[in-house]
Amino acid sequence: MRPRILLTLVGGLLLACLAMPSVQAGAGTADLPAPDGPVMLTVGGDITRTNVGDEARFDRAMLEALPARTIVTSTPWHPESTRFEGPLAEAILRAVGAEGRRVRVTALNGFEAMIPVSDFERYDVILAMQRNGTPMPIRDFGPLFVLYPFDAHPELVTEAIRFRSVWQVSRIEVY
Protein backbone atom coordinates (compact mmCIF):
# COMPACT_ATOMS: atom_id res chain seq x y z
CA MET A 1 0.00 0.00 0.00
CA ARG A 2 2.84 2.45 0.77
CA PRO A 3 4.32 2.32 -2.75
CA ARG A 4 0.88 3.19 -4.16
CA ILE A 5 0.53 6.21 -1.84
CA LEU A 6 4.06 7.34 -2.71
CA LEU A 7 3.34 6.97 -6.43
CA THR A 8 0.12 8.94 -6.05
CA LEU A 9 1.91 11.75 -4.20
CA VAL A 10 4.79 11.90 -6.68
CA GLY A 11 2.38 11.82 -9.62
CA GLY A 12 0.31 14.62 -8.09
CA LEU A 13 3.39 16.76 -7.49
CA LEU A 14 4.57 16.17 -11.03
CA LEU A 15 1.21 17.25 -12.45
CA ALA A 16 1.17 20.33 -10.22
CA CYS A 17 4.65 21.31 -11.39
CA LEU A 18 3.73 20.85 -15.04
CA ALA A 19 0.69 23.07 -14.59
CA MET A 20 2.75 25.93 -13.16
CA PRO A 21 3.81 28.35 -15.92
CA SER A 22 7.00 29.30 -14.10
CA VAL A 23 8.40 25.78 -14.38
CA GLN A 24 7.18 24.90 -17.86
CA ALA A 25 9.95 24.72 -20.43
CA GLY A 26 10.34 28.06 -22.13
CA ALA A 27 7.66 29.85 -20.06
CA GLY A 28 10.08 32.65 -19.24
CA THR A 29 11.26 33.11 -22.83
CA ALA A 30 8.11 32.68 -24.93
CA ASP A 31 7.06 35.71 -26.91
CA LEU A 32 3.94 37.64 -26.05
CA PRO A 33 1.14 37.94 -28.60
CA ALA A 34 1.20 41.13 -30.64
CA PRO A 35 -1.29 43.83 -29.68
CA ASP A 36 -4.40 44.11 -31.90
CA GLY A 37 -5.39 47.61 -30.81
CA PRO A 38 -3.56 50.87 -30.12
CA VAL A 39 -0.53 50.40 -27.87
CA MET A 40 -1.10 51.80 -24.37
CA LEU A 41 2.09 50.61 -22.69
CA THR A 42 5.59 49.65 -23.84
CA VAL A 43 7.93 47.70 -21.55
CA GLY A 44 11.62 47.32 -22.27
CA GLY A 45 14.94 46.68 -20.59
CA ASP A 46 15.77 43.53 -18.64
CA ILE A 47 12.86 41.40 -19.89
CA THR A 48 12.69 37.93 -21.46
CA ARG A 49 9.27 38.04 -23.19
CA THR A 50 8.71 40.44 -26.06
CA ASN A 51 6.36 40.95 -28.99
CA VAL A 52 7.98 43.74 -31.04
CA GLY A 53 11.77 43.64 -31.33
CA ASP A 54 13.21 43.73 -27.83
CA GLU A 55 10.10 45.33 -26.30
CA ALA A 56 6.75 44.18 -24.98
CA ARG A 57 3.83 46.29 -26.18
CA PHE A 58 0.37 46.09 -24.63
CA ASP A 59 -3.00 47.25 -25.90
CA ARG A 60 -6.05 47.71 -23.65
CA ALA A 61 -7.28 44.12 -24.10
CA MET A 62 -3.88 42.68 -23.17
CA LEU A 63 -3.72 44.82 -20.02
CA GLU A 64 -7.29 43.93 -19.08
CA ALA A 65 -6.45 40.22 -19.38
CA LEU A 66 -3.78 40.46 -16.65
CA PRO A 67 -4.49 39.91 -12.94
CA ALA A 68 -6.02 43.14 -11.69
CA ARG A 69 -7.19 44.85 -8.53
CA THR A 70 -9.65 47.48 -7.51
CA ILE A 71 -8.32 50.03 -5.04
CA VAL A 72 -10.69 52.39 -3.27
CA THR A 73 -8.59 55.21 -1.89
CA SER A 74 -8.05 58.91 -1.73
CA THR A 75 -4.83 60.22 -3.26
CA PRO A 76 -2.86 63.44 -2.89
CA TRP A 77 -4.74 64.58 -6.06
CA HIS A 78 -8.16 63.06 -5.26
CA PRO A 79 -9.15 64.01 -1.69
CA GLU A 80 -12.35 61.96 -1.83
CA SER A 81 -12.27 58.17 -1.74
CA THR A 82 -12.23 57.02 -5.36
CA ARG A 83 -12.43 53.58 -7.02
CA PHE A 84 -9.49 52.79 -9.32
CA GLU A 85 -9.14 49.59 -11.37
CA GLY A 86 -6.26 48.18 -13.34
CA PRO A 87 -3.67 45.45 -13.72
CA LEU A 88 -1.22 44.78 -10.93
CA ALA A 89 2.15 46.30 -11.80
CA GLU A 90 3.72 43.06 -10.60
CA ALA A 91 1.54 41.10 -13.09
CA ILE A 92 2.83 43.24 -15.95
CA LEU A 93 6.40 42.53 -14.90
CA ARG A 94 5.67 38.79 -14.66
CA ALA A 95 4.07 38.85 -18.13
CA VAL A 96 7.27 40.24 -19.66
CA GLY A 97 9.63 38.05 -17.65
CA ALA A 98 11.17 41.05 -15.89
CA GLU A 99 14.45 40.26 -14.19
CA GLY A 100 15.37 43.64 -12.70
CA ARG A 101 14.86 45.07 -9.21
CA ARG A 102 13.76 48.56 -10.25
CA VAL A 103 11.86 50.22 -13.06
CA ARG A 104 11.84 53.63 -14.68
CA VAL A 105 8.28 54.71 -15.44
CA THR A 106 7.89 57.36 -18.14
CA ALA A 107 4.85 59.56 -18.75
CA LEU A 108 3.62 60.89 -22.09
CA ASN A 109 5.12 64.31 -21.23
CA GLY A 110 8.58 62.81 -20.52
CA PHE A 111 8.32 62.85 -16.72
CA GLU A 112 10.18 59.86 -15.23
CA ALA A 113 10.35 58.16 -11.86
CA MET A 114 12.42 55.24 -10.59
CA ILE A 115 10.41 52.70 -8.59
CA PRO A 116 11.77 49.68 -6.73
CA VAL A 117 10.01 46.45 -7.79
CA SER A 118 9.64 45.73 -4.07
CA ASP A 119 6.97 48.48 -3.94
CA PHE A 120 4.88 46.53 -6.45
CA GLU A 121 5.28 43.32 -4.46
CA ARG A 122 4.64 44.83 -1.02
CA TYR A 123 1.70 47.13 -1.79
CA ASP A 124 -0.12 45.55 -4.78
CA VAL A 125 0.42 48.71 -6.82
CA ILE A 126 -1.75 48.90 -9.94
CA LEU A 127 -1.58 50.72 -13.21
CA ALA A 128 -5.03 52.24 -12.94
CA MET A 129 -6.95 52.25 -16.21
CA GLN A 130 -10.37 53.20 -14.82
CA ARG A 131 -11.58 55.66 -12.25
CA ASN A 132 -15.07 55.06 -10.86
CA GLY A 133 -15.77 52.60 -13.69
CA THR A 134 -14.76 54.91 -16.54
CA PRO A 135 -11.56 54.71 -18.63
CA MET A 136 -9.19 57.48 -17.60
CA PRO A 137 -8.53 60.01 -20.38
CA ILE A 138 -5.12 61.65 -20.80
CA ARG A 139 -6.40 64.92 -19.34
CA ASP A 140 -7.47 63.07 -16.17
CA PHE A 141 -4.38 61.01 -15.17
CA GLY A 142 -4.85 58.42 -17.95
CA PRO A 143 -4.50 56.31 -19.80
CA LEU A 144 -2.44 54.60 -17.06
CA PHE A 145 -1.70 55.84 -13.54
CA VAL A 146 0.75 54.19 -11.08
CA LEU A 147 -1.52 53.92 -8.07
CA TYR A 148 -0.56 52.98 -4.53
CA PRO A 149 -3.23 52.05 -1.93
CA PHE A 150 -2.77 55.25 0.08
CA ASP A 151 -5.68 54.79 2.49
CA ALA A 152 -4.75 51.19 3.36
CA HIS A 153 -1.12 52.19 4.03
CA PRO A 154 -0.86 55.70 5.54
CA GLU A 155 2.94 55.35 5.50
CA LEU A 156 2.71 55.80 1.72
CA VAL A 157 1.65 59.44 2.01
CA THR A 158 5.16 60.76 1.47
CA GLU A 159 6.88 62.95 -1.08
CA ALA A 160 8.86 59.94 -2.39
CA ILE A 161 5.71 57.89 -3.09
CA ARG A 162 3.90 60.88 -4.61
CA PHE A 163 6.86 61.26 -6.97
CA ARG A 164 6.56 57.55 -7.93
CA SER A 165 2.82 57.86 -8.64
CA VAL A 166 3.29 58.66 -12.31
CA TRP A 167 0.21 59.37 -14.41
CA GLN A 168 -0.12 59.35 -18.20
CA VAL A 169 2.22 56.34 -18.16
CA SER A 170 3.44 55.24 -21.59
CA ARG A 171 6.62 53.25 -20.87
CA ILE A 172 8.29 51.07 -18.25
CA GLU A 173 11.99 50.24 -18.45
CA VAL A 174 13.20 47.37 -16.25
CA TYR A 175 16.69 47.52 -14.66
Side-chain angles (χ1 to χ4, degrees):
M1 191 74 151
R2 282 190 180 218
R4 179 175 281 170
I5 291 172
L6 183 59
L7 262 172
T8 303
L9 287 173
V10 170
L13 285 172
L14 181 60
L15 285 174
C17 287
L18 290 174
M20 293 173 55
S22 61
V23 296
Q24 290 177 349
T29 59
D31 288 342
L32 293 170
D36 289 327
V39 173
M40 290 182 68
L41 177 67
T42 301
V43 183
D46 195 2
I47 62 174
T48 60
R49 297 185 73 206
T50 62
N51 58 12
V52 178
D54 60 353
E55 298 179 329
R57 296 181 184 173
F58 292 85
D59 62 15
R60 178 173 291 280
M62 294 169 72
L63 291 169
E64 288 174 343
L66 295 172
R69 290 283 186 277
T70 297
I71 297 176
V72 178
T73 189
S74 59
T75 75
W77 311 275
H78 305 93
E80 299 295 321
S81 189
T82 304
R83 190 176 104 238
F84 296 94
E85 300 169 58
L88 287 162
E90 186 179 18
I92 294 169
L93 296 183
R94 272 195 314 272
V96 300
E99 296 184 338
R101 297 307 309 150
R102 60 191 173 111
V103 298
R104 182 181 64 221
V105 178
T106 305
L108 292 170
N109 67 0
F111 177 82
E112 297 178 340
M114 294 298 290
I115 304 174
V117 171
S118 59
D119 277 13
F120 298 161
E121 297 162 347
R122 182 173 182 192
Y123 297 111
D124 282 344
V125 174
I126 66 172
L127 263 68
M129 297 173 59
Q130 293 190 20
R131 185 171 133 207
N132 292 326
T134 304
M136 296 168 51
I138 290 172
R139 72 179 180 282
D140 193 21
F141 294 80
L144 300 168
F145 175 23
V146 175
L147 187 78
Y148 287 78
F150 289 101
D151 289 353
H153 296 277
E155 72 273 17
L156 293 174
V157 184
T158 67
E159 189 66 25
I161 299 300
R162 283 184 23 207
F163 183 78
R164 295 174 187 167
S165 301
V166 179
W167 57 81
Q168 298 177 345
V169 173
S170 63
R171 183 173 184 83
I172 297 174
E173 194 76 18
V174 180
Y175 295 95

